[in-house]
């Protein structure tokens, strides 16, 4: 085991959880393989790092991050927090339930600051080819150190894909879109809501990012914001200035025509149409083919069934986040260490099919939350983790609040599963809160 090696691709939260899991075992005296992480950016933290760049970066690579300047969490922190490192432990006090991006980034940094050897993460290292050699029974990995352009070929016994699935936009096309006279961007390139002050904005999509961006631009002064849905309207009680219309049929200059026969002129179009699960560095027979759903085609949600030396982290559509990553990382670790034996490929496929059949029966967000809660519970029990990680009730309450009051749900406080304390309500309502600094939010000014 000590002569084996593990490569973790990506130092976002999920990749850091894998690194942390192995370091935890080593600190407890277990023999562990050599574990290294290759991260293409110059810092850890993944999508929680804000990057002003869009398109391509200084190395000609697509910009990985898609966070926008004034983003606040749209899920309660009580459904996100690590069981062994609570928000109260980090900030020294009980804080409101829906933090801005800066607060979440600070929390992540505190969690991993002393838990991962700094030399284990190789920054600005771009992995561009991963293949499995059957003769060697290892992965051949080609990487490039971006500042020096130096290429390196290495061999690893195991590979963990932790590069996320929120970096390659899914971009639809509409008849006449090439005639549109304003800006057209995907939400991945949305950075500053204040850019749209005084403008009429069309938001295409009806999921979480669509309603959030539609409200963001109104919050920062847009003249109007129209959400175009494909299947059905949200019917949320949006603030004044936001309306919903069915699918875009065609575009003629600044005029957009909708399926119900209506039309309206717009200055800008923002495509909130999701992301593709793409891993351009992987050979195709290792490539997870997936849409954004709560249970991808992976054993225990992480093991590539055709080759159980390959793992995928955090590929689910996520209600649970950090606590799920914490659990998945320990399952991967224990599988590699051999303390959790894998069944046959046939038995693994049966388990995958069971979970996916359950997923197919999900009719709404509440069903999906229950599935994800059951999944995390199953992993935790198998791993004998000393925590009760079931935060389904926190998510049920959140979804209920969100559906009933899309404008004010962020103002409410939720109960932490681990501290048993209820978060204070947000003193300055979200729609009126323009200071998203750590100090203002933590002090709840």
């Amino acid at each position: 085991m000590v002569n084996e090696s593990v490569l973790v691709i990506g130092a976002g939260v999920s990749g850091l959880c894998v690194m942390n899991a192995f370091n935890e075992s080593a600190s407890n005296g277990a023999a562990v393989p050599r574990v290294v992480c290759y991260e293409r950016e110059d810092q850890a933290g993944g999508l929680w790092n804000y990057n002003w760049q869009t398109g391509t970066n200084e190395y000609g690579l697509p910009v990985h991050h898609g966070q926008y300047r004034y983003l606040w969490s749209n899920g309660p922190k009580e459904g996100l927090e690590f069981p062994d490192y609570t928000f109260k432990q980090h900030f020294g006090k009980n804080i409101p339930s829906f933090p801005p991006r800066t607060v979440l980034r600070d929390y992540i940094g505190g969690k991993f600051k002393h838990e991962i050897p700094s030399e284990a993460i190789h920054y600005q290292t771009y992995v561009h080819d991963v293949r499995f050699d059957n003769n060697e029974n290892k992965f051949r990995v080609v990487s490039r150190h971006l500042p020096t352009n130096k290429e390196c070929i290495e061999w690893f016994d195991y590979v963990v894909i932790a590069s996320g699935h929120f970096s390659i936009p899914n971009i639809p096309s509409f008849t006449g879109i090439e005639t549109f006279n304003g800006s057209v961007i995907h939400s991945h390139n949305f950075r500053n809501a204040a850019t749209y002050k005084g403008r009429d904005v069309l938001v295409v999509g009806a999921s979480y990012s669509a309603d959030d961006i539609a409200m963001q631009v109104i919050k920062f002064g847009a003249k109007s914001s129209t959400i175009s849905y494909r299947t059905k309207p949200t019917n949320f009680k949006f603030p004044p200035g936001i309306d919903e219309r069915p699918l875009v049929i065609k575009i003629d200059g600044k005029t957009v025509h909708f399926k119900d026969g209506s039309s309206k002129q717009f200055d800008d179009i923002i495509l909130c149409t999701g992301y593709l699960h793409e891993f351009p560095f992987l050979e195709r027979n290792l490539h997870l083919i997936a849409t954004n759903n709560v249970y991808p085609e992976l054993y225990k949600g992480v093991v590539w069934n055709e080759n159980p030396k390959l793992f995928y982290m955090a590929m689910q559509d996520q209600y649970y986040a950090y606590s799920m990553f914490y659990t998945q990382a320990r399952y991967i670790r224990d599988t590699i260490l051999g303390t959790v034996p894998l069944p046959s490929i046939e038995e693994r496929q049966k388990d995958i099919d069971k979970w996916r059949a359950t997923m197919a029966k999900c009719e709404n967000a509440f069903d999906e939350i229950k599935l994800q809660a059951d999944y995390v519970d199953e992993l935790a029990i198998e791993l004998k983790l000393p925590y009760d990680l079931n935060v389904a009730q926190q998510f049920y309450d959140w979804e209920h609040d969100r559906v009933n009051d899309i404008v004010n749900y962020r103002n409410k406080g939720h109960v932490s599963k681990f501290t048993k304390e209820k978060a204070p309500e947000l003193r300055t309502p979200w729609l009126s809160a323009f200071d998203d600094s750590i100090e203002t939010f933590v002090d709840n000014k």
Side-chain angles (χ1 to χ4, degrees), residues 411-442:
N411 302 335
K412 296 190 175 183
H414 293 262
V415 177
S416 168
K417 187 65 175 275
F418 309 115
T419 68
K420 312 301 181 186
E421 296 181 35
K422 185 176 181 179
E425 292 194 358
L426 192 63
R427 188 169 298 170
T428 301
W430 173 80
L431 198 60
S432 304
F434 294 95
D435 183 350
D436 63 353
S437 66
I438 294 173
E439 295 77 16
T440 295
F441 183 82
V442 170

Side-chain angles (χ1 to χ4, degrees), residues 201-218 224-230 232-236 238-239 241-248 258 260 264 266 270 272 402 406:
V201 182
L202 172 62
V203 177
V204 179
S207 191
Y208 296 98
S209 63
D211 61 58
D212 194 54
I213 286 177
M215 289 195 297
Q216 282 272 355
V217 296
I218 288 295
S224 73
S225 179
T226 297
I227 299 173
S228 172
Y229 56 88
R230 183 173 57 183
K232 60 182 180 180
T234 66
N235 291 321
F236 291 149
F238 286 112
I242 299 179
D243 69 316
E244 295 186 272
R245 303 200 185 194
L247 189 67
V248 173
F258 299 94
D260 63 355
K264 183 179 176 179
F266 294 97
I270 303 173
C272 297
R402 183 175 171 275
I406 189 66

